[in-house]
Amino acid sequence: MKKLLLLISYLCLSLLLQAQVIKTVNITAGGLSTALTDVTNLTITGTIDARDFKTMRDNMPNLAIVDLSGANIVAYTGSEGTTYSTTYPANEIPVSAFFRSGAFSGKTTLTSFVYPSSATSIGDNAFSNCTGLSGALTIPASVTKIGNSAFSRCQKLASVTISNGVTSIGESAFSECSRLASVTIPSSVTSIGSRTFESCSSLTSVTIPSSVTSIESRAFSQCSSLTSVTLSEGLTMIGSEAFSNCSSLTSVTIPSSVTTIGSSAFYYCNSLTSVTIPSSVTTIGSSAFYYCNSLTSVT
């Protein structure tokens, strides 16, 4: 009987040791200890910089939940940051914060991230290949810039809400987010970069606000579930291959502010049945509607 009780006690102790480890730490920039290898949930207050993001990325293998709401990101100059760069500005989630470019791998254990209230930009590749990030993502109102490939290949993200204040969305920012079904683009955005939502194969509809003047090349290419696109007055240019291979898109109305439709802009949209092109358009690029083999009406 005693042996059985000892065995049960041992098993219970083992389960406790395997449970989540939650810590709150107050640090000075660069001071996040590399000994925190057992931490799964981390709340940080105080100041941090690119060196601390490197520690979270490389030396905390079980890290899943990060809360920086009480932290401030300060500038750092040196060689111990997250990339080969030596200059990291204040209030920016650093370039490659949770992405190791050499190994082309993201921090797959990361499931949740709370931004500092003072964050103004998200660096290039900051969360690229973080395949554990899931559910709804909200970019806070303090952020004005989303860097290139910032959330590319975050394949479990279901929705993205970009708060009013963001003016720039970088190239491939959300490309290959294969479960992304909805996105809210605010009226502060003026341009949608190349490949921004490329291969978001679950995206079903998108509304482009009137503040956007250009949709760059391949911005929505290969969004195979996209059935509805609302283009607002104010848009002047639809880039090359912008909506190519959007095989579920059935109709599109080009606003009267558009002057240029790029080459292969709607290439292989083979469910497209009607297109209205306004008199403002002066250039339609080669193969703009090539292989739209369901197209029966063009104005």
Side-chain angles (χ1 to χ4, degrees):
M1 186 66 181
K2 285 183 178 180
K3 288 183 177 180
L4 180 59
L5 288 172
L6 283 171
L7 179 60
I8 293 171
S9 298
Y10 175 77
L11 289 173
C12 289
L13 180 60
S14 297
L15 289 172
L16 284 171
L17 289 173
Q18 293 175 27
Q20 289 187 338
V21 179
I22 303 172
K23 288 187 180 180
T24 299
V25 294
N26 188 321
I27 67 169
T28 300
L32 187 59
S33 171
T34 57
L36 300 176
T37 57
D38 59 343
V39 173
T40 56
N41 295 25
L42 180 67
T43 298
I44 298 178
T45 59
T47 59
I48 62 173
D49 63 24
R51 292 170 293 178
D52 303 307
F53 279 93
K54 184 178 181 181
T55 295
M56 287 187 276
R57 184 191 69 191
D58 296 348
N59 300 105
M60 303 176 74
N62 301 312
L63 187 61
I65 298 172
V66 178
D67 185 347
L68 301 184
S69 57
N72 286 307
I73 302 171
V74 296
Y76 169 66
T77 301
S79 60
E80 298 178 1
T82 51
T83 63
Y84 299 113
S85 175
T86 57
T87 303
Y88 300 85
N91 299 320
E92 178 177 271
I93 308 299
V95 172
S96 297
F98 295 100
F99 175 73
R100 298 179 67 181
S101 55
F104 203 76
S105 62
K107 192 163 188 68
T108 57
T109 59
L110 188 67
T111 60
S112 175
F113 184 86
V114 180
Y115 296 84
S117 58
S118 57
T120 57
S121 63
I122 300 171
D124 295 351
N125 294 303
F127 297 93
S128 181
N129 285 58
C130 288
T131 54
L133 279 177
S134 59
L137 171 70
T138 298
I139 306 297
S142 60
V143 172
T144 60
K145 177 187 176 184
I146 300 172
N148 297 337
S149 300
F151 296 92
S152 62
R153 294 175 293 279
C154 290
Q155 296 169 351
K156 291 183 181 179
L157 283 181
S159 67
V160 172
T161 299
I162 303 171
S163 298
N164 201 45
V166 173
T167 59
S168 173
I169 304 176
E171 294 182 7
S172 302
F174 298 95
S175 65
E176 297 182 60
C177 291
S178 57
R179 295 187 189 178
L180 184 62
S182 68
V183 60
T184 302
I185 301 172
S187 59
S188 54
V189 173
T190 57
S191 177
I192 298 176
S194 298
R195 302 176 185 265
T196 299
F197 296 99
E198 184 178 35
S199 297
C200 290
S201 54
S202 296
L203 191 63
T204 58
S205 66
V206 64
T207 297
I208 308 299
S210 59
S211 57
V212 172
T213 57
S214 63
I215 299 174
E216 302 297 333
S217 62
R218 300 186 68 88
F220 294 93
S221 176
Q222 299 186 67
C223 291
S224 55
S225 297
L226 191 64
T227 59
S228 171
V229 174
T230 301
L231 305 177
S232 301
E233 292 293 332
L235 183 67
T236 60
M237 190 271 287
I238 299 172
S240 61
E241 300 182 67
F243 295 95
S244 65
N245 288 281
C246 290
S247 55
S248 298
L249 190 63
T250 57
S251 67
V252 62
T253 298
I254 313 296
S256 61
S257 52
V258 170
T259 59
T260 302
I261 299 173
S263 59
S264 301
F266 295 92
Y267 171 87
Y268 227 115
C269 291
N270 53 9
S271 295
L272 194 63
T273 59
S274 66
V275 175
T276 300
I277 302 172
S279 58
S280 59
V281 172
T282 57
T283 302
I284 301 176
S286 61
S287 302
F289 297 94
Y290 184 74
Y291 242 106
C292 293
N293 51 17
S294 297
L295 191 61
T296 58
S297 171
V298 177
T299 302

